Each structure stands twice: as C-alpha cells, then as structure tokens.
C-alpha cells in the first residue's frame, strides 16, 4: 500500500527477519542518544541505554497477530511501528520516525496504517498504547488523533535494562485508547 506524506510516496509492508537490524537502528535513533535530539520524540533526557534489541524485534515479528509495519520512501526505511491483536483491541507500540523527518506527516500516515490493520484485518474495536506520563507533547499529539487518556497507569520496568536505564525516578506509563469503529 502507498500513501503520500510530506509530498513523497510512502510504501508500507510487514517486516521480516532480514529487517531486524534496520528496525533496531531506526528505533534507537528516534529515542536514544544525540541523534534522537534532532527530532521531538527523543527520550534521551529521561532514559539512556537501549530502547529495543534484535531478539525483542525478532520475537515481535514471529508472533501470531503481530506485525511490525515498515514505511519506506524510495526504498529507505523512514518509520516503523508494532501493532498486535490483544483480545478485541489492537496494541500500538515501538513507533519510530526518522528524527530528521519528524513533523512532516510520516508518523500520522503510519499511525493510520496501523489502525487500519487492527480494524480491517483483525476486527479490533479499539487501539491501545502505553505512553510515559511525563511525555506531555507526545500525549497531546495522540489526543489530536482521537486517543484519550484512560487514567490506567502501569509501572515503568525499573531495573530491566532491556527498556533503558532511567535518569529519573518518576517514570510510569498511562494507557491511551481510541475507538476504531
């Protein structure tokens, strides 16, 4: 499937095992280290260490009713996300846009594609995600796209370096939800 975003055509496809290194590199560049600071989604001020790893990405690709959606422009990976059917909801996560392309419509197009997969292919009634509660601008971005804060909080996995090394002691997640019907 193709969509125009930022005046260039995006093509979507499901990730395969050969895509794992590129996905890990994209996710790390969007959230960690100095390169992530070129975009607005960086978590570098609150977390260091890894955001994901090859084993974790490969596991998501291998699961039933789980897909890593890749968005490419002229054959170059520019965005990815993970969408998974969990009961009657789709779960949205591991959303990463190349830092130099953030704010240009790519993310909005990929989010819409993930919602389409959950609704049209898997029959999900809603999409859910977890967002770190102190990420006000990110939460506002999702709210502009129809997501609502549920008030349901989940603890941050302190001590599990697979999710990063916190620089703060006040991190927690909140579930955001959107009706897809």
């Amino acid at each position: 499937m193709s969509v125009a975003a930022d005046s260039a055509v995006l093509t979507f496809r499901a990730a395969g095992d050969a895509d794992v290194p590129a996905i890990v590199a994209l996710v790390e560049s969007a959230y960690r280290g100095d390169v992530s600071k070129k975009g607005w989604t960086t978590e570098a001020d609150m977390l260091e260490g890894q955001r994901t790893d090859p084993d974790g990405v490969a596991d998501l690709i291998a699961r039933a009713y789980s897909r890593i959606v890749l968005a490419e422009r002229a054959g170059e990976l520019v965005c990815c996300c993970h969408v998974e059917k969990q009961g009657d909801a789709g779960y949205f996560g591991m959303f990463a846009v190349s830092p130099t392309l953030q704010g240009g419509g790519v993310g909005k197009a990929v989010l819409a594609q993930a919602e389409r997969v959950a609704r049209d292919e898997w029959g999900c009634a809603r999409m859910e995600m977890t967002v770190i509660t102190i990420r006000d601008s990110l939460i506002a971005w999702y709210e502009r796209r129809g997501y609502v804060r549920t008030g349901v909080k989940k603890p941050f996995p302190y001590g599990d370096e697979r999710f990063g090394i916190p620089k703060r002691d006040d991190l927690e997640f909140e579930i955001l939800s959107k009706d897809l019907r």
Side-chain angles (χ1 to χ4, degrees):
M1 177 178 218
S2 299
V3 167
D6 194 28
S7 74
V9 174
L10 289 177
T11 57
F12 300 111
R13 67 180 178 86
D17 291 335
D19 297 305
V20 170
I23 294 166
V24 171
L26 175 62
V27 171
E28 294 300 313
S29 75
Y31 290 99
R32 301 288 194 270
D34 288 337
V35 71
S36 72
K37 294 178 182 178
K38 293 179 182 176
W40 67 273
T41 64
T42 183
E43 295 174 345
D45 294 332
M46 66 185 87
L47 292 159
E48 52 189 20
Q50 72 177 33
R51 178 66 155 70
T52 192
D53 59 48
D55 290 340
V57 172
D59 177 62
L60 296 176
I61 290 170
R63 290 184 197 171
Y65 293 102
S66 173
R67 181 178 307 168
I68 296 179
V69 175
L70 303 181
E72 298 173 323
R73 180 181 286 152
E76 178 186 351
L77 178 61
V78 297
C79 185
C80 69
C81 71
H82 172 238
V83 62
E84 183 171 22
K85 181 175 173 51
Q86 297 180 349
D88 68 342
Y91 179 79
F92 179 79
M94 205 174 67
F95 189 30
V97 179
S98 175
T100 59
L101 298 176
Q102 292 176 13
V106 172
K108 185 166 48 171
V110 172
L111 178 61
Q113 176 69 4
E115 291 170 353
R116 187 200 64 73
V117 167
R119 180 187 58 246
D120 299 348
E121 294 185 30
W122 297 336
C124 296
R126 68 187 181 287
M127 185 75 90
E128 293 181 344
M129 67 181 74
T130 55
V131 179
I132 296 174
T133 57
I134 61 172
R135 304 284 318 272
D136 296 329
S137 61
L138 183 60
I139 291 170
W141 187 86
Y142 285 119
E143 287 176 326
R144 290 190 299 274
R145 279 138 196 92
Y147 286 82
V148 295
R149 296 180 85 153
T150 65
V152 177
K153 308 277 177 76
K154 292 184 169 188
F156 186 85
Y158 284 93
D160 188 343
E161 291 187 8
R162 291 178 303 156
F163 301 99
I165 302 166
K167 296 180 176 182
R168 308 170 55 131
D169 64 2
D170 62 344
L171 301 179
E172 67 178 344
F173 295 107
E174 183 172 358
I175 297 175
L176 304 185
S177 183
K178 178 180 179 178
D179 188 340
L180 295 178
R181 292 172 277 159

